[in-house]
Amino acid sequence: DCSGFISYFFNHFNIKVPRVSRYFRNAGYPVQIESSRPGDLILFTGPDTTGWVVGHMGIITRNYNGKVQFIHSSSGKSIGVI
């Protein structure tokens, strides 16, 4: 899933990150989407949008005037990293 992909990616560079997506909310520091850079993480709420609990995340690969592209690992073994 997404947190496993993020952990695998950052471990490759010897960067320690939380193992569970919800713990990323308090890791690092927030940046505005317009200031994001490749390698930054983008966090999304889960199915319960009444609170701010991370339910999915990805790694930003490009930012063009606030329009970001990112890679992530979707749920389900048939899809994988996209």
Side-chain angles (χ1 to χ4, degrees):
D1 66 342
C2 64
S3 59
F5 171 64
I6 301 287
S7 294
Y8 176 82
F9 179 86
F10 280 93
N11 284 336
H12 177 76
F13 297 100
N14 294 318
I15 299 171
K16 299 282 187 202
V17 295
R19 178 62 186 97
V20 180
S21 60
R22 68 178 173 265
Y23 297 138
F24 276 83
R25 182 168 185 232
N26 297 317
Y29 56 91
V31 296
Q32 296 297 316
I33 197 77
E34 297 82 13
S35 302
S36 64
R37 301 182 334 202
D40 287 344
L41 299 180
I42 186 164
L43 309 177
F44 301 92
T45 59
D48 179 7
T49 58
T50 59
W52 210 103
V53 177
V54 176
H56 193 65
M57 56 189 177
I59 302 169
I60 293 177
T61 58
R62 181 177 181 203
N63 184 344
Y64 185 73
N65 295 326
K67 293 184 179 188
V68 297
Q69 291 179 335
F70 64 96
I71 55 176
H72 66 108
S73 180
S74 61
S75 297
K77 293 181 181 179
S78 63
I79 299 175
V81 176
I82 55 175

